[in-house]
Amino acid sequence: MLLNKYLDINPEVAAALAAGKPVVALESTIISHGMPYPQNVETALNVERIIRENGAVPATIAIIGGRLKAGLSAEEIEYFGKKGLGITKASRRDLAVLCARGEDGATTVTTTMIIAHMAGIKIFATGGIGGVHRGAETTMDISADLEELGQTPVMVVCAGAKSILDLGLTLEYLETKGVPVIGYGTEELPAFYTRKSGFKVDYRIDTPEELAAAFVAQQELGMKGGMLVTNPIPEEYAMPLDTINAAIEQALRECEEKGIHGKETTPFLLARVAELTGGNSLASNIRLVYNNAALAAKTAVACKNL
Ligand code: PSU
Ligand code: MN
């Protein structure tokens, strides 16, 4: 297989891919920008363990010293977690310069999809994706994650999107890009901390086997884009709607008052919502990531058994 000259696949991941074993990709922005230290490192390591327990090999993805890494060591995960916001958040537009300069980058959903695809990994688990921001009709702030889902053939398993975003416009954008939005065991788009959003997904699918069948059909059809699986947070960890909505409204107001924009918007909103809701939202966030990791691993296994 001809691999990219900037790509390093760690030995365990490379062996699994060569043997046709299931592999699940994980992003690193969730570690550096999505959660505080040390819970971020603890969560990232637990996620890897959960993927193994469910029969797949984890490949946490990041950029280290200008190298695109598929599979990190525990020490590298610790480094990303500790350095946190000091690591460059790397989206598609950042890859070339970071590689040329030999710098580090935390991969978002977008760049994790790009690197997973380069490495031959088809399934990726995360917490939430970026989307169309509220007010995008004037700011034009639309996450590159949606464009990537429209062009890179990787399945992304998430817990929906937070209502810091305009969920209705996010679904419209995904429809335009031809991305199937699947609800796992639900007809309603989950909104990360809550199981419901008031918006419908395109299809409800109830088993990893059926997810695998849909994804394999998409590949066999030669469709270029990805597939978005939205997996609701387990009932017992869901947040009360009023608490979360009040925090989101306040965070959005502060974001506007402070004039925060561009790539800082999402990390600011995530951190502010987490602060305003205290430890509860962090606990929910961690649990939904575990839930997505397990589903992604089961689906990766099911893809191999088809
Ligand atoms: N949403 C979350 N948690 C996250 C992110 C988004 O609930 O950690 C991160 C992901 O890495 C996602 C990125 O790909 O933020 C999107 O950033 P932006 O909106 O700047 O495209
Ligand atoms: Mn943006």
Side-chain angles (χ1 to χ4, degrees), residues 264-282:
E264 272 82 47
T265 301
T266 297
F268 173 84
L269 292 171
L270 297 180
R272 226 23 219 130
V273 169
E275 275 165 21
L276 290 166
T277 48
N280 287 348
S281 69
L282 181 59

Side-chain angles (χ1 to χ4, degrees), residues 9 24 72-73 76 93 100-102 104-105 111 114 116 128 144 168 235 239 275 294 299 305:
I9 306 184
V24 173
L72 298 189
S73 65
E76 288 167 330
R93 57 107 186 260
R101 288 185 173 167
D104 297 337
T111 37
I114 295 172
E235 190 81 63
M239 302 272 297
E275 275 165 21
T299 305
N305 294 337

Side-chain angles (χ1 to χ4, degrees), residues 27 29-30 33-34 89 91 107-110 126-131 133 141-145 162 164-165 192 262-264 266-267 270 285:
E27 62 156 304
T29 292
I30 191 175
H33 293 65
K89 175 182 157 195
S91 191
T107 56
T108 62
V109 168
T110 298
T126 189
I129 60 157
H133 280 265
D141 190 351
I142 298 172
S143 175
D145 293 353
K162 293 196 178 81
I164 56 171
L165 301 170
F192 198 88
K263 69 192 290 189
E264 272 82 47
T266 297
L270 297 180
N285 194 348

